[in-house]
Amino acid sequence: MSHAPTTAPAGYTPRLLPLLRLLRGHRRILALAVLSGIATHVFTIASAVLGAILVGRALTGANPTGLRGGFAVLLALVIPLVVAPWLETQLAHVVAFRVLVDLRGRVYDAFARMSPGDLLARRSGELGSTAISDVELLETFFAHTLSPLVSAAVVPAGALIALAFVDPALSLALLPVLLALASIPIWLRRRAEAHGDAVRAEAGALNAEAVDALQGLREILAFGAGEAQAARLRHRGRALDAARTRHSRRAGVELAATDALVTLGVLVALLVGSALTASGRLPVDLLPAAVVLAAFSLAPVTAVVDVARDLSIVSAAAARVRDLLAVEQAVPEPGHPARVEHIDTRVGFDQVSFRYAPALPQAVQDISFTIEPGETVALVGHSGAGKSTCAHLLLRLWDVGAGAITIGGHDLRTIAREDLRRLIAYVPQDVHLFNISIADNLRLGRPEATQAEIEKAAELAHAHGFIQDLPDGYDTIAGELGNLLSGGQRQRLAIARALLTGAPILVLDEAVSNLDAQSERELTTAIQATSAERTTLVIAHRLSTIRTADRIVMLDHGRVVETGRPDDLLARPGAFSELVRTQLAAS
């Protein structure tokens, strides 16, 4: 008999079961919450049954003096009836909130495991929806489902046993109703799962569309595309509304079936009890108690069925979170990392080939060149030649498809990711600043940096002057995506951030593309002053930047076609001199 109620959320078990592993370390608090939940039902049933007994005795002419003891017990039950549910709620939520903190950490770890290719294949709004909304929804499972589920297994079983002591016929009559009530979610399980999946998918899509609109607001306003974007949002809103409506209709069917079965259970108990009373097997004063006990034995199962109506959405959220957590390491950590404390910073590309997807052509093919310590090498070529791909492979955002990239003779795949980040500082063309202070943005790669060190790096990047002119200086909040600053200012901050790390290898990907000619000259001079201590890879289009490099590696369609000193390559016909001639003609 005790197994019947446990079937309520059975249809969702495969999706929700992996979440139980997150409860390790919180089992004692959860056990106390479950015991408090069981105690809540026990005290509730005890008080109701005792009240019914007192009513039955009063109706059969019992002396009021003889009822005083029962009323005293009812009064004593008030305290546990208040404390037990409060304790269950508090403890269950403590467990839920602690688990959600851990789960959010795991979600962030999953983001860190993703390659840029994984991120490009997913909409940022959808990922944000999973990281925030889907994780938050799991609070329902941890705080409102686990304890009621155990109560639904234990309390009805105890109530049926108690009814059997009153008369076995009452238990036997009520058992089919309990089984039917517990199986309601199973009847509509597939539709519930489909509806839950649809609601969470549409919610994620709407969130992604809204994020797109916010991020692209400048372009929307510039091209007068507001109405078209609003139409897309309305379409997504209607789709979400339709999904929620289908879910609500099914939930309404479950509610109606639950109410009908509860009513049927009470009616069955009343009819059977009345028949037993008429036959003399059940005393008249016990009939109200028997009916009340039967009715309250249904309450824990009803509570789980009520939760299970929305468990399909929680289950869908759990599936989305589980899929995110299952993301494998795109660039796996080496089993036995190389020791890199004292290696030189010679960078080598040895017959490197790479493609972004199996169906795509090679982005780079058989590329080989070296950058000596203290040397600055410029990667040049037309758009799509593979320059940024080389930078990303050096950063190990992807792994090479063939060949090897080495630092100090060590294959990147043998260097721990944390060590690699300490060795290389990167300045991208599209700078990302966080909505924190300028100083904290600069500290991104070196959190322990002092204010003096921050200011020195800013001075080298010719950023100190404009930072001092900001309302709060280095404490000024950069704004979301750094939108309170100009493109050139963001670029200077990115260079300062890279210089502050003190990394011995510097990668500059069009780092001066947003600067005017004067600022470019000043910044190039500053970078040259620090590059003697660094191995520097520069990706650039401007001739003024390229000519400051010690050596040029010219790429064309993913292959190295020329290498040499800038003046030497300019002095002879070839791919580089043709590129420069084309650029000068265009300008």
Side-chain angles (χ1 to χ4, degrees):
M1 288 184 292
S2 64
H3 294 289
T6 64
T7 58
Y12 311 109
T13 299
R15 289 177 166 186
L16 296 171
L17 193 58
L19 299 178
L20 296 178
R21 302 189 188 101
L22 299 173
L23 293 170
R24 294 172 184 171
H26 309 291
R27 291 174 181 170
R28 290 185 180 180
I29 300 178
L30 180 61
L32 289 175
V34 169
L35 290 175
S36 299
I38 293 173
T40 298
H41 288 290
V42 170
F43 289 133
T44 301
I45 292 175
S47 61
V49 170
L50 181 55
I53 290 175
L54 293 176
V55 170
R57 289 183 177 179
L59 292 175
T60 54
N63 190 323
T65 303
L67 301 178
R68 288 178 181 175
F71 283 113
V73 174
L74 276 178
L75 186 61
L77 286 174
V78 170
I79 294 178
L81 277 172
V82 172
V83 172
W86 174 83
L87 195 59
E88 178 195 13
T89 300
Q90 292 296 312
L91 294 176
H93 280 85
V94 166
V95 171
F97 295 147
R98 289 182 180 179
V99 169
L100 292 189
V101 168
D102 179 53
L103 190 57
R104 289 189 183 98
R106 293 177 182 232
V107 167
Y108 176 78
D109 290 341
F111 287 158
R113 290 196 303 272
M114 286 184 176
S115 71
D118 292 326
L119 293 174
L120 290 174
R122 303 169 185 245
R123 300 183 73 179
S124 57
E126 291 249 16
L127 287 173
S129 179
T130 298
I132 300 172
S133 301
D134 289 336
V135 170
E136 193 64 30
L137 268 175
L138 297 184
E139 184 263 348
T140 299
F141 175 68
F142 292 113
H144 304 285
T145 303
L146 290 176
S147 180
L149 178 60
V150 177
S151 297
V154 174
V155 175
L160 288 177
I161 293 173
L163 276 176
F165 278 104
V166 176
D167 195 293
L170 288 167
S171 291
L172 292 174
L174 194 62
L175 180 60
V177 179
L178 269 173
L179 291 171
L181 186 61
S183 65
I184 286 177
I186 297 178
W187 301 345
L188 301 172
R189 177 179 64 85
R190 290 187 177 180
R191 290 180 63 188
E193 286 187 351
H195 292 166
D197 289 343
V199 168
R200 294 315 304 156
E202 292 298 342
L206 177 59
N207 189 70
E209 201 68 58
V211 170
D212 278 351
L214 289 173
Q215 292 179 341
L217 186 59
R218 180 182 58 189
E219 286 74 11
I220 290 172
L221 295 176
F223 289 96
E227 182 54 39
Q229 182 62 38
R232 284 193 289 271
L233 286 170
R234 285 194 296 269
H235 170 72
R236 285 299 182 189
R238 287 192 294 268
L240 177 58
D241 179 64
R244 284 176 171 168
T245 299
R246 290 190 294 271
H247 177 270
S248 297
R249 286 174 182 168
R250 192 215 73 260
V253 172
E254 291 189 28
L255 177 62
T258 300
D259 290 344
L261 285 173
V262 169
T263 303
L264 178 62
V266 174
L267 182 60
V268 166
L270 184 60
L271 291 174
V272 174
S274 299
L276 293 174
T277 300
S279 66
R281 287 175 55 178
L282 181 68
V284 175
D285 60 344
L286 287 182
L287 177 60
V291 174
V292 167
L293 181 59
F296 274 81
S297 68
L298 302 174
V301 183
T302 304
V304 172
V305 173
D306 287 341
V307 173
R309 280 202 298 273
D310 290 326
L311 208 58
S312 59
I313 293 180
V314 177
S315 173
R320 285 159 60 93
V321 173
R322 181 197 63 205
D323 291 343
L324 182 58
L325 296 181
V327 171
E328 296 182 358
Q329 185 77 47
V331 283
E333 284 283 282
H336 302 284
R339 297 180 64 85
V340 297
E341 291 86 353
H342 305 293
I343 67 170
D344 66 62
T345 56
R346 179 182 291 103
V347 173
F349 281 67
D350 183 15
Q351 298 294 308
V352 170
S353 295
F354 172 77
R355 68 178 79 222
Y356 286 97
L360 295 178
Q362 296 277 9
V364 293
Q365 189 168 358
D366 298 328
I367 283 184
S368 296
F369 64 89
T370 59
I371 313 174
E372 298 296 331
E375 184 183 24
T376 298
V377 168
L379 277 182
V380 299
H382 295 286
S383 297
K387 304 182 297 298
S388 292
T389 297
C390 289
H392 295 161
L393 292 175
L394 176 58
L395 291 165
R396 209 181 172 218
L397 301 181
W398 283 275
D399 269 337
V400 299
I405 301 176
T406 60
I407 296 178
H410 295 283
D411 191 313
L412 291 189
R413 290 165 291 193
T414 68
I415 300 176
R417 182 169 48 182
E418 185 177 345
D419 289 335
L420 190 63
R421 298 297 176 258
R422 284 199 299 265
L423 288 170
I424 304 175
Y426 176 55
V427 182
Q429 181 177 5
D430 298 319
V431 179
H432 184 99
L433 296 179
F434 295 89
N435 192 33
I436 53 180
S437 70
I438 297 294
D440 287 337
N441 268 293
L442 296 180
R443 285 192 182 99
L444 187 63
R446 193 180 163 201
E448 74 283 0
T450 65
Q451 184 65 27
E453 291 171 329
I454 290 173
E455 292 182 11
K456 181 180 179 181
E459 288 174 354
L460 286 172
H462 291 267
H464 182 67
F466 84 77
I467 294 175
Q468 285 188 313
D469 292 337
L470 294 174
D472 297 312
Y474 282 86
D475 293 326
T476 302
I477 302 301
E480 189 171 7
L481 302 178
N483 56 15
L484 299 182
L485 303 170
S486 70
Q489 289 173 331
R490 291 196 297 269
Q491 203 79 55
R492 292 168 188 261
L493 291 178
I495 293 171
R497 183 164 62 188
L499 295 176
L500 182 62
T501 65
I505 300 173
L506 184 62
V507 178
L508 304 170
D509 190 352
E510 296 288 356
V512 296
S513 60
N514 289 322
L515 303 180
D516 57 57
Q518 177 63 28
S519 298
E520 180 192 358
R521 283 193 295 272
E522 293 174 351
L523 204 53
T524 300
T525 301
I527 293 174
Q528 282 181 304
T530 63
S531 63
E533 306 168 0
R534 290 182 171 88
T535 302
T536 306
L537 177 64
V538 177
I539 297 173
H541 284 97
R542 292 183 179 179
L543 181 59
S544 54
T545 303
I546 295 170
R547 296 191 72 164
T548 62
D550 298 310
R551 193 156 47 88
I552 286 174
V553 175
M554 176 74 189
L555 300 180
D556 186 34
H557 293 90
R559 294 178 180 272
V560 176
V561 293
E562 272 189 322
T563 61
R565 296 176 59 82
D567 291 340
D568 293 341
L569 294 183
L570 280 173
R572 67 171 185 257
F576 178 68
S577 60
E578 176 63 22
L579 175 67
V580 171
R581 186 188 64 78
T582 303
Q583 288 183 346
L584 291 175
S587 62

